[in-house]
Amino acid sequence: MRVLVLNGPNLGRLGTREPEIYGRTTHADLVVLCERTAAELGVEVEVRQTDHEGEMLAWLHEAADRRLPVVLNAAAWTHYSVAVRDACAMLTAPLVEVHISNVHQREEFRHHSLISAVASGVIVGLGVTGYALALRWLAETVSE
Ligand code: DQA
């Protein structure tokens, strides 16, 4: 099984971006974490990050066409992008929505996700470990 891990805007700045909220793990460290977890689980993973919504849409279309499961942290787009949600709705394999911080403990505008209604499940507030847990669930759930 191959899984796409897709990260949205500002997540490339993990490690230095508001570390009290997002921790000190860099995006490069996150890639290593996902790759190590995937290797343990016997799955293939590709981790990508973009600050450009059109690029994220193209990756989601690719995942739909290739029937790939997705772990998505849509970052700020989570809260307002109908386009990202519509692309998620087209996915044909499971989608796990991940947020590093507990968005429900934070500002009101972060409490609502446009993605959750079209996701298989949501992992919130468990730090970067949420990505590893999402990969584990996909490895257990998705056959082929
Ligand atoms: C985030 C939470 C979002 O509200 C925020 O805009 C992000 C990161 C998280 O992983 O906690 O950029 O998705």
Side-chain angles (χ1 to χ4, degrees):
M1 181 187 57
R2 190 170 191 87
V3 182
L4 290 186
V5 175
L6 304 179
N7 286 317
N10 300 309
L11 291 172
R13 301 184 65 83
L14 282 176
T16 49
R17 172 193 185 197
E18 299 180 274
E20 63 290 353
I21 296 174
Y22 299 111
R24 300 245 170 228
T25 304
T26 65
H27 193 268
D29 295 335
L30 176 60
V31 172
V32 171
L33 170 78
C34 289
E35 287 175 350
R36 282 206 186 129
T37 305
E40 276 170 32
L41 295 167
V43 305
E44 287 177 69
V45 73
E46 208 179 309
V47 185
R48 303 179 189 172
Q49 188 276 326
T50 184
D51 293 331
H52 301 278
E53 194 172 358
E55 187 165 38
M56 177 61 80
L57 296 177
W59 291 345
L60 289 166
H61 298 165
E62 176 192 338
D65 290 344
R66 295 171 66 193
R67 302 189 161 272
L68 299 176
V70 173
V71 176
L72 174 66
N73 185 344
W77 293 327
T78 305
H79 312 298
Y80 70 87
S81 174
V82 176
V84 171
R85 177 220 167 93
D86 286 350
C88 289
M90 287 184 237
L91 292 171
T92 40
L95 165 68
V96 182
E97 176 183 357
V98 170
H99 298 286
I100 296 167
S101 65
N102 183 348
V103 285
H104 302 292
Q105 280 177 346
R106 300 181 62 198
E107 302 93 326
E108 191 78 34
F109 66 86
R110 296 185 204 275
H111 296 182
H112 184 64
S113 164
L114 293 178
I115 314 291
S116 298
V118 294
S120 303
V122 183
I123 300 174
V124 162
L126 302 184
V128 293
T129 304
Y131 290 83
L133 296 171
L135 289 171
R136 190 166 294 280
W137 181 80
L138 286 170
E140 282 173 14
T141 307
V142 181
S143 51
E144 122 219 28

